[in-house]
Amino acid sequence: MKAATPTLLGLLGVLLLALPLRLFYGGVPTPILPLVVVFFWSVYAPDFLPSPSIFAIGLLQDFLTGGPLGLWPAVYLFTQYIVLSQRSYFLGREQRVVWLGFAFAAAAASVILWLAMSLLSGVLLPIRGLAFQMATTALVYPVFSGAFSHLHRRVLVES
């Protein structure tokens, strides 16, 4: 069960994202919590969140949000690949540095999503809403990172 914790967190994040919750009466977009899960666990405990789990998280998100099948898995797997390639840099750094890394990852995810959706629709779509959602996601990262760090130490490492 301990090994499944990050995957379950990712799936829970997808379910929360799919719920019709509107923060501040729709004035603030819902953060993309599965991206936070993928980034955090890829840095600190990649063995607990393997690629098939990330694929399943993304596929569930595609099914629940009505997006093109394979788009979110591709974004999350790309994020995992980039994070794993830079993992040694992030380990042992201040949380500000990791947070900045997450902000760059969120920006890259935004560009990939925007390009894919623009190509699929045949027109350059506005990026403002997506950029605002990724900015919100980046702003909530420290809160979830702190909770995940506590969970990682208490449940996965100490037990």
Side-chain angles (χ1 to χ4, degrees):
M1 187 64 179
K2 289 190 311 186
T5 300
T7 301
L8 294 174
L9 289 170
L11 295 172
L12 179 63
V14 170
L15 294 175
L16 290 173
L17 187 61
L19 287 175
L21 299 175
R22 299 296 169 249
L23 302 175
F24 302 103
Y25 302 103
V28 177
T30 306
I32 301 177
L33 299 179
L35 185 63
V36 174
V37 170
V38 168
F39 184 90
F40 178 88
W41 293 101
S42 293
V43 170
Y44 297 107
D47 293 340
F48 287 108
L49 191 62
S51 298
S53 294
I54 291 174
F55 184 84
I57 290 166
L59 200 57
L60 178 64
Q61 187 167 340
D62 283 344
F63 279 126
L64 292 180
T65 60
L69 287 181
L71 180 59
W72 280 108
V75 169
Y76 293 151
L77 288 169
F78 176 76
T79 302
Q80 180 195 38
Y81 175 77
I82 296 300
V83 172
L84 289 176
S85 73
Q86 300 302 311
R87 184 171 180 256
S88 61
Y89 176 78
F90 288 126
L91 290 175
R93 300 280 180 187
E94 294 180 18
Q95 286 306 305
R96 295 181 307 187
V97 174
V98 179
W99 186 16
L100 184 61
F102 177 76
F104 279 115
S110 293
V111 170
I112 292 168
L113 289 165
W114 175 76
L115 283 173
M117 294 307 292
S118 292
L119 285 172
L120 289 171
S121 66
V123 61
L124 289 178
L125 298 172
I127 197 168
R128 184 175 181 221
L130 181 60
F132 191 36
Q133 186 172 30
M134 287 301 183
T136 302
T137 304
L139 288 173
V140 302
Y141 177 81
V143 173
F144 287 95
S145 174
F148 293 161
S149 292
H150 181 74
L151 178 70
H152 182 253
R153 278 190 312 276
R154 294 284 188 193
V155 176
L156 302 178
V157 174
E158 291 180 3
S159 9

